[in-house]
Amino acid sequence: MNSLADNVLMLRVKEGDLYSMGVLFKHYHRELFGFFYHMYGNPDACEDMVQTAFYRMIKYKNSFTGEGPFRAWMYQLARNVLRDHVQQNKRSYHGQNLDDFAEKIGGGTLADESLQKTEQAIQLRNALALLSDAHREVLVMSEYQELKYKEIAEILDITEGAVKTRVHRAINELKIKYLKIEHER
């Protein structure tokens, strides 16, 4: 889907066409789940947050003007859902215990190369969890959600240059955290 098609669908939702919301849900469900998962970590809570985000899209449909891209509006709602969830649950949103996660995915016999990739992924996830909220958010949006800097700038209401700076700083901070975890191993 493209931005214009998404905007048209959301404008239809605004007029009461819930079938169009179903199309948007089908297209963006996984993407939003990925965003919440990389920001929060608990799959069950992430699924709940996805549902809440789509519920809010319907509830606050009149706030969508169609002037900006639907995706930016959707992520602004998603960020609010995440913030509300964290506040309500008084829990760190660095996610579930990653050691428990490692045990779940590391069970059985794995080839050494596969096990090493799994360990590296866990170390990367641990390093990502140690980043500041702002740095984790821009990395998740740019690297995992593959949003363009322009889209991130619209979502965060900052300039593209500020996004580039944040991403650069976040990557540098992530490298430091990752290497520290690697060294402690």
Side-chain angles (χ1 to χ4, degrees):
M1 260 198 247
N2 63 40
S3 183
L4 183 58
D6 292 342
N7 283 13
V8 168
L9 287 169
M10 191 59 210
L11 290 170
R12 288 182 185 162
V13 170
K14 238 177 127 167
E15 296 169 358
D17 178 9
L18 292 182
Y19 173 78
S20 294
M21 181 52 76
V23 174
L24 289 169
F25 179 86
K26 186 175 182 179
H27 185 256
Y28 286 107
H29 173 265
R30 290 180 64 120
E31 183 175 327
L32 277 181
F33 181 87
F35 170 73
F36 289 129
Y37 184 76
H38 290 295
M39 292 299 296
Y40 193 77
N42 179 314
D44 293 331
C46 294
E47 191 61 46
D48 290 344
M49 286 187 275
V50 169
Q51 299 297 326
T52 301
F54 279 97
Y55 168 76
R56 287 188 185 178
M57 285 181 216
I58 293 169
K59 183 176 179 180
Y60 300 114
K61 64 187 176 201
N62 290 327
S63 70
F64 181 75
T65 63
E67 292 176 19
F70 165 78
R71 200 172 185 199
W73 180 78
M74 175 186 74
Y75 272 101
Q76 288 169 345
L77 283 174
R79 292 176 72 222
N80 290 337
V81 167
L82 176 63
R83 189 175 303 115
D84 292 348
H85 184 82
V86 169
Q87 287 175 354
Q88 288 172 355
N89 291 289
K90 304 266 190 246
R91 166 186 200 281
S92 166
Y93 68 103
H94 301 289
Q96 63 195 23
N97 181 331
L98 293 170
D99 294 331
D100 293 344
F101 180 71
E103 287 176 21
K104 288 179 187 174
I105 63 174
T109 57
L110 298 172
D112 288 341
E113 186 176 307
S114 177
L115 183 58
Q116 183 178 4
K117 285 181 182 179
T118 300
E119 289 173 0
Q120 289 172 340
I122 291 168
Q123 285 175 219
L124 182 60
R125 177 97 175 113
N126 282 333
L128 188 64
L130 295 173
L131 295 180
S132 68
D133 294 346
H135 282 170
R136 185 172 48 258
E137 186 173 51
V138 295
L139 278 183
V140 167
M141 287 182 182
S142 67
E143 301 301 320
Y144 291 102
Q145 302 310 117
E146 298 177 353
L147 296 175
K148 293 179 176 23
Y149 287 168
K150 182 178 180 180
E151 291 175 300
I152 297 169
E154 290 175 22
I155 293 166
L156 300 178
D157 196 26
I158 59 176
T159 66
E160 274 187 73
V163 171
K164 289 177 185 177
T165 300
R166 283 188 190 181
V167 169
H168 178 73
R169 289 178 181 165
I171 289 171
N172 287 338
E173 184 183 351
L174 183 65
K175 285 178 189 175
I176 291 167
K177 304 280 187 200
Y178 181 86
L179 292 174
K180 184 177 179 186
I181 291 170
E182 178 71 21
H183 179 72
E184 292 172 353
R185 238 180 73 174

